[in-house]
Amino acid sequence: MRLVSEAIILTNDNRRIELRPSLRAAYILHEKHRLENLWKGVLDGNFTIISDIVAHGADDPVAARALLNDKLASEGIGALVAISDDLLTFINLSFGLNYQTATAPSRSTVSKSGKNQTYQESFNELFGYATGWLGWTPETAWNSTPAEIRIAFDAHVEKLRAIHGSTEKQSSTYDPLEEVSPEDVSAGIAKLRAKHGSVARAS
């Protein structure tokens, strides 16, 4: 699984546009076209869909659309074919499919509880993880990819389990955004060491 990929760059003459995969891009593009139509649109060279992908992946949508228009005018349909692989990568990273392939290949969209979800529900859940559990700003959440949010969330939960000694089956009795005191950290580490020592002696 790749959290960071090579920059997706579109150029024409002396202009340069960078596309950044994000939860925001996935949310808007899925609402407008649906994932399967995005894939099909890229492979079919559908200019409307490709233009939307480029616009929602760039910091300046107007400039991005203008560059794509000029690129098509100067290079022809081959310009769309040449960027198709990059656009498919952009879609997959924006929708978090790189994370799902690595962690749950048998499901199309899965929540942390294991139930099937629509992409809309998954996006809402990810936004909640980022802003509620992790304390990120809405802007940071929207600009992150699903994989980045889930990896950060998983690490946050693992830290809390290590400190508080909870398991997946136990319900949380503490605020995940609560500041952890040095004493609590020391106590959590001591528990882990004691557990590790008892396992070693038993073996």
Side-chain angles (χ1 to χ4, degrees):
M1 175 183 57
R2 292 184 301 169
L3 280 179
V4 179
S5 61
E6 293 183 4
I8 300 173
I9 306 294
L10 301 184
T11 61
N12 189 61
D13 297 330
N14 62 342
R15 288 175 294 167
R16 181 177 183 273
I17 294 291
E18 180 174 349
L19 305 185
R20 171 69 167 89
S22 67
L23 182 65
R24 175 188 279 111
Y27 193 101
I28 295 173
L29 289 170
H30 187 65
E31 182 73 16
K32 191 169 185 179
H33 297 292
R34 295 293 183 264
L35 175 59
E36 59 274 15
N37 292 328
L38 293 171
W39 280 332
K40 187 175 185 299
V42 170
L43 295 174
D44 290 346
N46 184 310
F47 183 76
T48 298
I49 288 179
I50 290 175
S51 181
D52 280 347
I53 294 171
V54 169
H56 292 298
D59 290 334
D60 187 339
V62 175
R65 289 186 191 275
L67 183 147
L68 186 64
N69 282 328
D70 293 344
K71 190 175 182 67
L72 181 63
S74 61
E75 300 177 21
I77 193 67
L80 303 183
V81 175
I83 64 174
S84 60
D85 285 346
D86 284 339
L87 295 182
L88 292 174
T89 296
F90 172 85
I91 292 169
N92 290 341
L93 291 173
S94 292
F95 278 76
L97 300 182
N98 56 325
Y99 179 91
Q100 291 172 14
T101 299
T103 59
S106 63
R107 298 177 184 268
S108 58
T109 308
V110 180
S111 73
K112 300 304 290 184
S113 61
K115 65 182 180 181
N116 289 324
Q117 291 180 306
T118 65
Y119 277 106
Q120 196 73 37
E121 290 170 338
S122 179
F123 297 151
N124 291 339
E125 181 179 71
L126 287 167
F127 185 80
Y129 287 164
T131 58
W133 281 73
L134 299 173
W136 295 359
T137 65
E139 187 67 14
T140 298
W142 285 125
N143 288 334
S144 301
T145 65
E148 289 168 341
I149 295 172
R150 287 198 182 277
I151 292 295
F153 175 81
D154 289 345
H156 181 69
V157 170
E158 286 303 315
K159 180 186 76 171
L160 295 178
R161 286 183 187 143
I163 293 171
H164 295 276
S166 64
T167 66
E168 286 186 349
K169 294 182 179 180
Q170 293 175 322
S171 60
S172 174
T173 58
Y174 52 87
D175 182 356
L177 297 180
E178 178 185 45
E179 289 293 332
V180 180
S181 69
E183 292 77 13
D184 287 338
V185 173
S186 298
I189 293 173
K191 286 181 182 179
L192 291 175
R193 285 177 175 168
K195 182 177 180 181
H196 178 74
S198 64
V199 171
R201 287 193 296 272
S203 60

